[in-house]
């Protein structure tokens, strides 16, 4: 089946510095949709970004990501990290599970900690 | 008002006992999902459903059953709870289509002793 690989484990960055969380994928389908989910402490995951257009930059809440099908990547970036960005981040791929049904495949998550 | 709710929010169960986790959504979504979250494994799909009275196996269905009696309700059933099923369980709902984002409930923390 399809798979999503993220920067694993913990990423620590100093407030005000740029941050990049890597996400690559393997899929057998040509048409796909990608998501970044963010989960704050003791909360539910929620969508941060989504994209299905190759080479188009998507932005939200200061974060941005560009789907590059040529390199099978959908990295998440921010130019200046804030303390409030500390959270668990998931990259996810929407794939067909048969007929017109779709399900998400999540990466294992990256815990981002922003320090003063 | 929360669109996906779960009950209970926390539960302690004994090994071998039966556990039922419930999920209710008011999004009018066709799709509903059950995930478990474990450190180092992320979110893994257990069961999902795209129509009432029908469920599908996800990536890790062993040891779990699911029930979708109506569009709004989706339950996860552990017939014989085991220590390895200690985790946080999330329910989610989504509209149809590959671009549809999933909306998650607040989660249920299950501890099996």
């Amino acid at each position: 089946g399809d798979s999503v690989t993220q920067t694993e484990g913990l990423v620590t960055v100093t407030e005000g510095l740029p941050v990049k969380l890597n996400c690559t994928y393997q899929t057998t389908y040509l048409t796909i949709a990608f998501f970044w989910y963010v989960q704050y402490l003791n909360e539910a995951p929620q969508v941060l970004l989504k994209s299905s257009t190759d080479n188009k930059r998507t932005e939200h809440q200061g974060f941005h990501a560009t789907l590059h099908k040529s390199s099978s990547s959908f990295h998440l970036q921010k130019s200046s990290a804030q303390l409030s960005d500390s959270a668990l981040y998931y990259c996810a791929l929407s794939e067909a599970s048969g007929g017109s049904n779709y399900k998400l495949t999540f990466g294992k998550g990256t815990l981002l900690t922003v320090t003063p | 008002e929360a669109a996906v709710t779960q009950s209970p929010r926390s539960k302690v169960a004994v090994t071998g006992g039966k556990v039922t986790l419930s999920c209710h959504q008011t999004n009018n979504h066709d799709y509903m999902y059950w995930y478990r979250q474990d450190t180092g494994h992320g979110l893994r799909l257990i069961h999902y459903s795209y129509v009432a009275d029908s469920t599908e196996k996800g990536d890790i269905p062993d040891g779990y059953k699911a029930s979708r009696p109506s569009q709004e309700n989706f339950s996860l059933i552990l017939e014989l709870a085991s220590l390895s099923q200690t985790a946080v369980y999330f329910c989610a709902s989504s509209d149809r289509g590959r671009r549809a984002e999933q909306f998650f409930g607040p989660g249920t923390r299950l501890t099996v002793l």
Side-chain angles (χ1 to χ4, degrees):
Chain A
D2 297 353
S3 66
V4 176
T5 302
Q6 295 183 233
T7 303
E8 287 195 13
L10 175 66
V11 171
T12 302
V13 65
T14 302
E15 183 182 18
L17 294 184
V19 60
K20 180 179 180 181
L21 304 183
N22 291 328
C23 175
T24 58
Y25 63 89
Q26 288 184 315
T27 179
T28 57
Y29 297 97
L30 294 178
T31 54
I32 55 174
F34 258 99
F35 301 82
W36 275 100
Y37 278 79
V38 60
Q39 184 180 14
Y40 300 103
L41 186 62
N42 295 324
E43 294 187 13
Q46 57 185 292
V47 167
L48 177 61
L49 292 172
K50 63 179 179 180
S51 176
S52 58
T53 305
D54 196 14
N55 297 316
K56 180 180 178 181
R57 176 171 164 142
T58 302
E59 299 188 35
H60 187 59
Q61 295 182 354
F63 286 91
H64 64 91
T66 303
L67 179 61
H68 291 297
K69 294 184 179 181
S70 60
S71 58
S72 300
S73 67
F74 190 53
H75 306 318
L76 182 68
Q77 300 183 65
K78 190 173 186 181
S79 59
S80 177
Q82 301 176 1
L83 296 176
S84 58
D85 294 330
S86 295
L88 182 59
Y89 292 81
Y90 286 106
C91 185
L93 161 66
S94 175
E95 59 175 322
S97 60
S100 61
N101 302 319
Y102 292 91
K103 66 184 182 76
L104 290 180
T105 296
F106 285 86
K108 293 184 178 181
T110 302
L111 183 62
L112 174 65
T113 299
V114 181
T115 59
Chain B
E1 184 176 346
V4 181
T5 56
Q6 296 181 229
S7 62
R9 293 295 312 279
S10 178
K11 183 172 181 63
V12 178
V14 296
T15 303
K18 182 177 181 179
V19 176
T20 300
L21 307 182
S22 299
C23 179
H24 179 79
Q25 57 105 354
T26 57
N27 293 324
N28 199 32
H29 286 161
D30 289 327
Y31 285 71
M32 296 187 75
Y33 310 83
W34 276 108
Y35 294 91
R36 65 175 284 173
Q37 183 178 47
D38 304 272
T39 302
H41 291 281
L43 290 164
R44 294 182 289 174
L45 182 65
I46 305 170
H47 286 288
Y48 64 102
S49 168
Y50 52 86
V51 67
D53 295 322
S54 178
T55 63
E56 305 292 331
K57 293 181 179 179
D59 299 321
I60 54 164
D62 293 344
Y64 302 94
K65 292 183 179 179
S67 173
R68 182 94 182 270
S70 64
Q71 186 194 40
E72 299 80 16
N73 296 295
F74 192 35
S75 297
L76 185 68
I77 303 145
L78 289 67
E79 295 279 2
L80 295 170
S82 67
L83 296 174
S84 64
Q85 293 177 312
T86 292
V88 178
Y89 291 84
F90 286 99
C91 175
S93 74
S94 76
D95 219 337
R96 289 184 175 271
R98 61 177 172 85
R99 295 186 180 86
E101 62 183 89
Q102 293 184 14
F103 295 86
F104 283 78
T108 295
R109 183 173 297 276
L110 175 65
T111 303
V112 182
L113 302 176

